[in-house]
Each structure stands twice: as structure tokens, then as C-alpha cells.
Amino acid sequence: MKRRIILCIVCAIAFCVLVSGCGKDGGAQTGNVETEDSEVKDYIVIETEYGNLYYPDQWTECVQIDQSTAGNALVVSFAAQINDVQYPLFKVTIGEGDGSKIGELTDSAGTKRDVYLQLEEIQEDPNLNDGEQNRLYAMQEDLNYLIDNLK
């Protein structure tokens, strides 16, 4: 009898664990978290004439973002600034561009434009410690946040 009770409890716990892990986003929230007093953002808004791009704000202190035009396209370049050295991470081209198409961006007038990505290859730098080198990789990997938030 004790075995059945224990088995039922174990099965019930296993069922609860399985069901709790079935949410689409795991309960994580992205974007704005609003409070009564103010709005807190977990991303940087990069305003362009073709629409806004979003990048995690944890890199605010060490990311360098520049915009330039090239023909009918807008190029947004992302670089890491570590120890007064700039390390290119990736470029996003809105409009006509080279690289891999990653989505579309819509401006305030409703015009949709293709978005292309050019990824820079990060080399090992002997002047960086392990933490700084890993920061470069993490900053480049967070281009996925940008891609996921194309609107």
C-alpha cells in the first residue's frame, strides 16, 4: 500500500514538472516592463529612418553603433569597444544589401524593406583576457535578439 502511495506521489510530481515546462516562452518577458512611475527597457532602441532596431541594453557601456548610407540602403554597424579598441561585430543593411537576408523592417509610413546581415569573424586577441574575449562572442551572438525583434 505504501508503494502505491509513493508511486502516485512520484507520478503526480513528474506530471507537474512536465506540465510546467510546456509554456511557449517559459514565462520570460522581453520588451518593456511598465511600472506606475516609469518604464524600464531591457533593450537599446536604434532609431533609423527605415524603422527601429533593438539590441540588448546590457551592452550599452561597450557597444558602438554607427549608421551610414550606401546607395539605396542604410548600413547599421555594431562594434564592441574594449580597452579603447574597437572590434567589429556585425553589420545590418536595410534596403538593398549584401549578406544573408534576415527579415524585414517596416518604417512609420508602413513601407517594408529587406534586412541583410554581414557577420564579422572574431579573432582571438592575446590582449584580451578570457572574460573580454567571451564578451565579444556574447555581443555578437545577441544579434539574434535584433533578428527576433524586427518589426
Short mmCIF file of all heavy atoms in Angstrom, two decimals, residues 22-75:
data_model
loop_
_atom_site.label_atom_id
_atom_site.label_comp_id
_atom_site.label_asym_id
_atom_site.label_seq_id
_atom_site.Cartn_x
_atom_site.Cartn_y
_atom_site.Cartn_z
N CYS A 22 5.76 23.43 -20.32
CA CYS A 22 5.16 23.42 -21.64
C CYS A 22 4.79 24.79 -22.17
O CYS A 22 4.23 24.89 -23.24
CB CYS A 22 3.89 22.56 -21.63
SG CYS A 22 4.28 20.81 -21.46
N GLY A 23 5.07 25.86 -21.46
CA GLY A 23 4.73 27.19 -21.94
C GLY A 23 5.53 27.56 -23.16
O GLY A 23 6.66 27.14 -23.32
N LYS A 24 4.97 28.38 -24.03
CA LYS A 24 5.63 28.75 -25.26
C LYS A 24 6.91 29.52 -25.00
O LYS A 24 7.92 29.30 -25.62
CB LYS A 24 4.67 29.58 -26.12
CG LYS A 24 5.26 30.00 -27.44
CD LYS A 24 4.26 30.74 -28.26
CE LYS A 24 4.84 31.11 -29.61
NZ LYS A 24 3.92 31.85 -30.41
N ASP A 25 6.87 30.50 -24.06
CA ASP A 25 8.06 31.31 -23.83
C ASP A 25 8.64 31.10 -22.44
O ASP A 25 9.49 31.88 -22.02
CB ASP A 25 7.74 32.78 -24.05
CG ASP A 25 6.68 33.30 -23.08
OD1 ASP A 25 6.20 32.53 -22.23
OD2 ASP A 25 6.32 34.48 -23.19
N GLY A 26 8.21 30.12 -21.73
CA GLY A 26 8.77 29.84 -20.42
C GLY A 26 8.50 30.93 -19.40
O GLY A 26 9.17 31.00 -18.39
N GLY A 27 7.55 31.80 -19.67
CA GLY A 27 7.24 32.87 -18.74
C GLY A 27 8.19 34.05 -18.82
O GLY A 27 8.05 35.00 -18.08
N ALA A 28 9.16 34.02 -19.70
CA ALA A 28 10.11 35.12 -19.82
C ALA A 28 9.44 36.30 -20.50
O ALA A 28 8.61 36.13 -21.38
CB ALA A 28 11.33 34.69 -20.63
N GLN A 29 9.80 37.49 -20.06
CA GLN A 29 9.25 38.70 -20.65
C GLN A 29 10.36 39.47 -21.33
O GLN A 29 11.45 39.59 -20.79
CB GLN A 29 8.60 39.59 -19.59
CG GLN A 29 7.39 38.97 -18.96
CD GLN A 29 6.74 39.92 -17.97
OE1 GLN A 29 7.17 41.03 -17.79
NE2 GLN A 29 5.68 39.45 -17.35
N THR A 30 10.09 39.96 -22.52
CA THR A 30 11.03 40.82 -23.20
C THR A 30 10.32 42.10 -23.55
O THR A 30 9.10 42.19 -23.47
CB THR A 30 11.56 40.16 -24.49
OG1 THR A 30 10.45 39.88 -25.33
CG2 THR A 30 12.32 38.90 -24.19
N GLY A 31 11.09 43.09 -23.94
CA GLY A 31 10.49 44.37 -24.29
C GLY A 31 10.36 45.23 -23.07
O GLY A 31 11.21 45.23 -22.20
N ASN A 32 9.28 45.99 -23.01
CA ASN A 32 9.10 46.93 -21.92
C ASN A 32 8.43 46.28 -20.73
O ASN A 32 7.53 45.47 -20.87
CB ASN A 32 8.22 48.10 -22.38
CG ASN A 32 8.88 48.92 -23.44
OD1 ASN A 32 10.10 48.89 -23.59
ND2 ASN A 32 8.10 49.65 -24.20
N VAL A 33 8.87 46.68 -19.55
CA VAL A 33 8.20 46.31 -18.31
C VAL A 33 7.75 47.63 -17.70
O VAL A 33 8.57 48.46 -17.33
CB VAL A 33 9.15 45.55 -17.36
CG1 VAL A 33 8.43 45.25 -16.06
CG2 VAL A 33 9.66 44.30 -18.00
N GLU A 34 6.45 47.84 -17.66
CA GLU A 34 5.96 49.12 -17.20
C GLU A 34 5.62 49.07 -15.71
O GLU A 34 5.10 48.09 -15.21
CB GLU A 34 4.71 49.52 -17.98
CG GLU A 34 5.00 49.76 -19.44
CD GLU A 34 3.78 50.24 -20.19
OE1 GLU A 34 3.05 51.09 -19.64
OE2 GLU A 34 3.57 49.76 -21.30
N THR A 35 5.94 50.18 -15.03
CA THR A 35 5.55 50.36 -13.64
C THR A 35 4.70 51.61 -13.56
O THR A 35 4.57 52.35 -14.55
CB THR A 35 6.79 50.51 -12.73
OG1 THR A 35 7.47 51.71 -13.11
CG2 THR A 35 7.71 49.32 -12.86
N GLU A 36 4.13 51.91 -12.40
CA GLU A 36 3.30 53.10 -12.26
C GLU A 36 4.12 54.37 -12.47
O GLU A 36 3.64 55.35 -13.00
CB GLU A 36 2.65 53.13 -10.88
CG GLU A 36 1.61 52.06 -10.68
CD GLU A 36 1.01 52.10 -9.30
OE1 GLU A 36 1.14 53.12 -8.61
OE2 GLU A 36 0.38 51.10 -8.92
N ASP A 37 5.38 54.36 -12.05
CA ASP A 37 6.21 55.56 -12.09
C ASP A 37 6.95 55.76 -13.40
O ASP A 37 7.09 56.87 -13.87
CB ASP A 37 7.24 55.53 -10.95
CG ASP A 37 6.58 55.43 -9.59
OD1 ASP A 37 5.47 55.98 -9.43
OD2 ASP A 37 7.17 54.81 -8.71
N SER A 38 7.46 54.68 -13.97
CA SER A 38 8.29 54.84 -15.16
C SER A 38 8.27 53.57 -15.99
O SER A 38 7.68 52.56 -15.61
CB SER A 38 9.72 55.17 -14.76
OG SER A 38 10.27 54.09 -14.03
N GLU A 39 8.97 53.64 -17.10
CA GLU A 39 9.08 52.50 -17.99
C GLU A 39 10.53 52.03 -17.98
O GLU A 39 11.44 52.83 -18.13
CB GLU A 39 8.67 52.93 -19.39
CG GLU A 39 8.62 51.81 -20.39
CD GLU A 39 8.10 52.30 -21.72
OE1 GLU A 39 6.90 52.52 -21.85
OE2 GLU A 39 8.93 52.42 -22.63
N VAL A 40 10.74 50.74 -17.81
CA VAL A 40 12.08 50.18 -17.81
C VAL A 40 12.25 49.36 -19.08
O VAL A 40 11.39 48.56 -19.41
CB VAL A 40 12.30 49.28 -16.57
CG1 VAL A 40 13.68 48.67 -16.58
CG2 VAL A 40 12.07 50.08 -15.29
N LYS A 41 13.36 49.56 -19.78
CA LYS A 41 13.60 48.84 -21.02
C LYS A 41 14.75 47.87 -20.81
O LYS A 41 15.68 48.14 -20.09
CB LYS A 41 13.95 49.79 -22.15
CG LYS A 41 12.83 50.74 -22.50
CD LYS A 41 13.23 51.66 -23.61
CE LYS A 41 12.11 52.62 -23.93
NZ LYS A 41 12.50 53.58 -24.95
N ASP A 42 14.68 46.74 -21.49
CA ASP A 42 15.79 45.80 -21.44
C ASP A 42 16.49 45.74 -22.79
O ASP A 42 17.18 44.81 -23.11
CB ASP A 42 15.32 44.42 -21.01
CG ASP A 42 14.37 43.76 -22.00
OD1 ASP A 42 13.88 44.45 -22.91
OD2 ASP A 42 14.13 42.56 -21.86
N TYR A 43 16.32 46.81 -23.59
CA TYR A 43 16.94 46.87 -24.90
C TYR A 43 17.29 48.31 -25.25
O TYR A 43 16.76 49.26 -24.68
CB TYR A 43 16.04 46.28 -25.98
CG TYR A 43 14.65 46.85 -26.00
CD1 TYR A 43 14.38 48.07 -26.59
CD2 TYR A 43 13.58 46.16 -25.42
CE1 TYR A 43 13.10 48.60 -26.59
CE2 TYR A 43 12.31 46.66 -25.42
CZ TYR A 43 12.07 47.89 -26.02
OH TYR A 43 10.81 48.40 -26.01
N ILE A 44 18.22 48.44 -26.19
CA ILE A 44 18.57 49.72 -26.77
C ILE A 44 17.72 49.89 -28.02
O ILE A 44 17.59 48.95 -28.80
CB ILE A 44 20.06 49.75 -27.18
CG1 ILE A 44 20.97 49.47 -26.00
CG2 ILE A 44 20.41 51.08 -27.83
CD1 ILE A 44 22.41 49.17 -26.41
N VAL A 45 17.16 51.05 -28.23
CA VAL A 45 16.42 51.34 -29.45
C VAL A 45 17.35 52.09 -30.39
O VAL A 45 17.88 53.15 -30.05
CB VAL A 45 15.17 52.19 -29.17
CG1 VAL A 45 14.44 52.51 -30.47
CG2 VAL A 45 14.24 51.51 -28.19
N ILE A 46 17.57 51.53 -31.56
CA ILE A 46 18.37 52.17 -32.58
C ILE A 46 17.40 52.72 -33.61
O ILE A 46 16.82 51.97 -34.41
CB ILE A 46 19.38 51.20 -33.25
CG1 ILE A 46 20.34 50.62 -32.21
CG2 ILE A 46 20.17 51.90 -34.34
CD1 ILE A 46 20.04 49.22 -31.83
N GLU A 47 17.17 54.02 -33.56
CA GLU A 47 16.21 54.65 -34.45
C GLU A 47 16.86 54.91 -35.80
O GLU A 47 17.93 55.49 -35.88
CB GLU A 47 15.70 55.95 -33.84
CG GLU A 47 14.92 55.74 -32.56
CD GLU A 47 14.43 57.04 -31.95
OE1 GLU A 47 14.69 58.13 -32.51
OE2 GLU A 47 13.78 56.96 -30.90
N THR A 48 16.19 54.44 -36.85
CA THR A 48 16.65 54.71 -38.21
C THR A 48 15.48 55.27 -39.00
O THR A 48 14.33 55.17 -38.57
CB THR A 48 17.16 53.43 -38.92
OG1 THR A 48 16.05 52.64 -39.32
CG2 THR A 48 18.10 52.63 -38.03
N GLU A 49 15.78 55.84 -40.14
CA GLU A 49 14.70 56.36 -40.98
C GLU A 49 13.84 55.25 -41.56
O GLU A 49 12.73 55.49 -42.03
CB GLU A 49 15.28 57.23 -42.10
CG GLU A 49 16.21 56.48 -43.05
CD GLU A 49 16.83 57.38 -44.10
OE1 GLU A 49 16.10 57.80 -45.02
OE2 GLU A 49 18.03 57.64 -43.97
N TYR A 50 14.33 54.00 -41.51
CA TYR A 50 13.59 52.86 -42.05
C TYR A 50 12.89 52.03 -40.98
O TYR A 50 12.33 50.99 -41.29
CB TYR A 50 14.53 51.96 -42.85
CG TYR A 50 15.12 52.61 -44.08
CD1 TYR A 50 16.39 52.26 -44.52
CD2 TYR A 50 14.43 53.55 -44.81
CE1 TYR A 50 16.94 52.84 -45.66
CE2 TYR A 50 14.97 54.15 -45.94
CZ TYR A 50 16.23 53.78 -46.36
OH TYR A 50 16.75 54.35 -47.48
N GLY A 51 12.93 52.46 -39.75
CA GLY A 51 12.32 51.72 -38.65
C GLY A 51 13.33 51.52 -37.53
O GLY A 51 14.51 51.88 -37.65
N ASN A 52 12.87 51.00 -36.41
CA ASN A 52 13.71 50.83 -35.24
C ASN A 52 14.29 49.42 -35.15
O ASN A 52 13.62 48.45 -35.44
CB ASN A 52 12.93 51.13 -33.96
CG ASN A 52 12.52 52.58 -33.87
OD1 ASN A 52 13.14 53.45 -34.47
ND2 ASN A 52 11.48 52.85 -33.10
N LEU A 53 15.54 49.36 -34.70
CA LEU A 53 16.20 48.10 -34.39
C LEU A 53 16.36 48.03 -32.88
O LEU A 53 16.45 49.07 -32.21
CB LEU A 53 17.57 48.03 -35.06
CG LEU A 53 17.60 48.12 -36.58
CD1 LEU A 53 19.03 48.24 -37.08
CD2 LEU A 53 16.93 46.90 -37.18
N TYR A 54 16.41 46.82 -32.35
CA TYR A 54 16.51 46.62 -30.89
C TYR A 54 17.67 45.69 -30.59
O TYR A 54 17.83 44.66 -31.23
CB TYR A 54 15.20 46.03 -30.36
CG TYR A 54 14.02 46.92 -30.66
CD1 TYR A 54 13.27 46.74 -31.83
CD2 TYR A 54 13.66 47.95 -29.81
CE1 TYR A 54 12.20 47.56 -32.12
CE2 TYR A 54 12.58 48.79 -30.09
CZ TYR A 54 11.86 48.58 -31.25
OH TYR A 54 10.80 49.41 -31.55
N TYR A 55 18.46 46.08 -29.57
CA TYR A 55 19.64 45.32 -29.17
C TYR A 55 19.69 45.33 -27.64
O TYR A 55 19.34 46.35 -27.02
CB TYR A 55 20.88 45.99 -29.78
CG TYR A 55 22.17 45.23 -29.61
CD1 TYR A 55 22.40 44.05 -30.31
CD2 TYR A 55 23.17 45.70 -28.78
CE1 TYR A 55 23.59 43.35 -30.17
CE2 TYR A 55 24.36 45.02 -28.63
CZ TYR A 55 24.57 43.85 -29.33
OH TYR A 55 25.74 43.16 -29.18
N PRO A 56 20.12 44.24 -27.00
CA PRO A 56 20.09 44.17 -25.53
C PRO A 56 20.86 45.31 -24.86
O PRO A 56 21.97 45.64 -25.25
CB PRO A 56 20.76 42.82 -25.23
CG PRO A 56 20.54 42.02 -26.46
CD PRO A 56 20.62 43.00 -27.59
N ASP A 57 20.24 45.89 -23.85
CA ASP A 57 20.87 47.04 -23.19
C ASP A 57 22.01 46.66 -22.24
O ASP A 57 22.72 47.54 -21.76
CB ASP A 57 19.84 47.89 -22.45
CG ASP A 57 19.32 47.25 -21.18
OD1 ASP A 57 19.57 46.05 -20.94
OD2 ASP A 57 18.65 47.97 -20.40
N GLN A 58 22.22 45.40 -22.00
CA GLN A 58 23.34 45.01 -21.13
C GLN A 58 24.68 45.40 -21.74
O GLN A 58 25.69 45.45 -21.06
CB GLN A 58 23.31 43.52 -20.83
CG GLN A 58 23.64 42.63 -22.01
CD GLN A 58 23.58 41.16 -21.64
OE1 GLN A 58 23.29 40.80 -20.52
NE2 GLN A 58 23.87 40.31 -22.60
N TRP A 59 24.69 45.72 -23.04
CA TRP A 59 25.93 46.08 -23.73
C TRP A 59 26.06 47.58 -23.95
O TRP A 59 26.96 48.03 -24.66
CB TRP A 59 26.02 45.36 -25.07
CG TRP A 59 25.83 43.89 -24.97
CD1 TRP A 59 24.87 43.12 -25.60
CD2 TRP A 59 26.60 42.95 -24.20
NE1 TRP A 59 25.01 41.80 -25.27
CE2 TRP A 59 26.07 41.67 -24.40
CE3 TRP A 59 27.69 43.08 -23.34
CZ2 TRP A 59 26.57 40.53 -23.80
CZ3 TRP A 59 28.20 41.95 -22.73
CH2 TRP A 59 27.65 40.69 -22.96
N THR A 60 25.19 48.38 -23.35
CA THR A 60 25.18 49.82 -23.55
C THR A 60 26.56 50.45 -23.34
O THR A 60 26.97 51.30 -24.12
CB THR A 60 24.16 50.49 -22.61
OG1 THR A 60 22.87 49.94 -22.87
CG2 THR A 60 24.12 51.98 -22.80
N GLU A 61 27.26 50.01 -22.33
CA GLU A 61 28.55 50.59 -21.99
C GLU A 61 29.64 50.31 -23.01
O GLU A 61 30.58 51.08 -23.13
CB GLU A 61 29.02 50.07 -20.62
CG GLU A 61 28.08 50.40 -19.48
CD GLU A 61 28.08 51.88 -19.15
OE1 GLU A 61 29.16 52.50 -19.20
OE2 GLU A 61 27.00 52.42 -18.84
N CYS A 62 29.54 49.21 -23.76
CA CYS A 62 30.66 48.83 -24.61
C CYS A 62 30.30 48.59 -26.08
O CYS A 62 31.13 48.12 -26.84
CB CYS A 62 31.37 47.60 -24.04
SG CYS A 62 30.31 46.21 -23.71
N VAL A 63 29.08 48.96 -26.49
CA VAL A 63 28.73 48.79 -27.90
C VAL A 63 28.82 50.14 -28.60
O VAL A 63 28.47 51.18 -28.05
CB VAL A 63 27.32 48.17 -28.09
CG1 VAL A 63 26.22 49.12 -27.66
CG2 VAL A 63 27.12 47.73 -29.53
N GLN A 64 29.35 50.11 -29.81
CA GLN A 64 29.43 51.29 -30.66
C GLN A 64 28.55 51.01 -31.87
O GLN A 64 28.77 50.03 -32.58
CB GLN A 64 30.87 51.54 -31.09
CG GLN A 64 31.06 52.70 -32.02
CD GLN A 64 30.83 54.04 -31.34
OE1 GLN A 64 31.19 54.22 -30.20
NE2 GLN A 64 30.20 54.95 -32.05
N ILE A 65 27.56 51.88 -32.11
CA ILE A 65 26.61 51.69 -33.21
C ILE A 65 26.70 52.90 -34.13
O ILE A 65 26.54 54.03 -33.67
CB ILE A 65 25.18 51.50 -32.69
CG1 ILE A 65 25.12 50.32 -31.71
CG2 ILE A 65 24.20 51.30 -33.85
CD1 ILE A 65 23.82 50.22 -30.94
N ASP A 66 26.96 52.65 -35.40
CA ASP A 66 27.07 53.72 -36.39
C ASP A 66 26.14 53.44 -37.55
O ASP A 66 25.95 52.29 -37.93
CB ASP A 66 28.51 53.83 -36.91
CG ASP A 66 29.49 54.24 -35.82
OD1 ASP A 66 29.21 55.23 -35.12
OD2 ASP A 66 30.51 53.55 -35.66
N GLN A 67 25.57 54.52 -38.13
CA GLN A 67 24.71 54.41 -39.29
C GLN A 67 25.34 55.16 -40.46
O GLN A 67 25.91 56.24 -40.28
CB GLN A 67 23.34 55.02 -39.00
CG GLN A 67 22.55 54.30 -37.94
CD GLN A 67 21.17 54.89 -37.75
OE1 GLN A 67 20.53 55.32 -38.70
NE2 GLN A 67 20.70 54.89 -36.51
N SER A 68 25.23 54.58 -41.64
CA SER A 68 25.70 55.25 -42.85
C SER A 68 24.82 54.83 -44.02
O SER A 68 24.15 53.80 -43.94
CB SER A 68 27.17 54.90 -43.13
OG SER A 68 27.31 53.51 -43.33
N THR A 69 24.80 55.62 -45.06
CA THR A 69 24.03 55.26 -46.24
C THR A 69 24.96 54.76 -47.33
O THR A 69 26.10 55.22 -47.45
CB THR A 69 23.21 56.46 -46.77
OG1 THR A 69 24.09 57.54 -47.01
CG2 THR A 69 22.13 56.87 -45.78
N ALA A 70 24.46 53.82 -48.10
CA ALA A 70 25.20 53.27 -49.23
C ALA A 70 24.20 53.05 -50.36
O ALA A 70 23.47 52.05 -50.36
CB ALA A 70 25.88 51.96 -48.85
N GLY A 71 24.10 54.00 -51.27
CA GLY A 71 23.12 53.91 -52.34
C GLY A 71 21.71 54.02 -51.79
O GLY A 71 21.38 54.98 -51.09
N ASN A 72 20.88 53.01 -52.05
CA ASN A 72 19.50 52.99 -51.55
C ASN A 72 19.37 52.22 -50.24
O ASN A 72 18.28 51.78 -49.91
CB ASN A 72 18.58 52.36 -52.60
CG ASN A 72 18.47 53.22 -53.84
OD1 ASN A 72 18.54 54.43 -53.77
ND2 ASN A 72 18.31 52.59 -54.99
N ALA A 73 20.47 52.05 -49.54
CA ALA A 73 20.43 51.24 -48.32
C ALA A 73 21.00 52.03 -47.14
O ALA A 73 21.77 52.97 -47.30
CB ALA A 73 21.25 49.97 -48.51
N LEU A 74 20.60 51.59 -45.97
CA LEU A 74 21.13 52.13 -44.72
C LEU A 74 21.91 51.01 -44.05
O LEU A 74 21.39 49.90 -43.88
CB LEU A 74 19.98 52.58 -43.81
CG LEU A 74 20.39 53.10 -42.44
CD1 LEU A 74 21.12 54.44 -42.58
CD2 LEU A 74 19.18 53.27 -41.55
N VAL A 75 23.16 51.28 -43.68
CA VAL A 75 24.01 50.30 -43.03
C VAL A 75 24.17 50.68 -41.56
O VAL A 75 24.57 51.80 -41.25
CB VAL A 75 25.40 50.22 -43.71
CG1 VAL A 75 26.28 49.20 -43.00
CG2 VAL A 75 25.25 49.88 -45.19
#
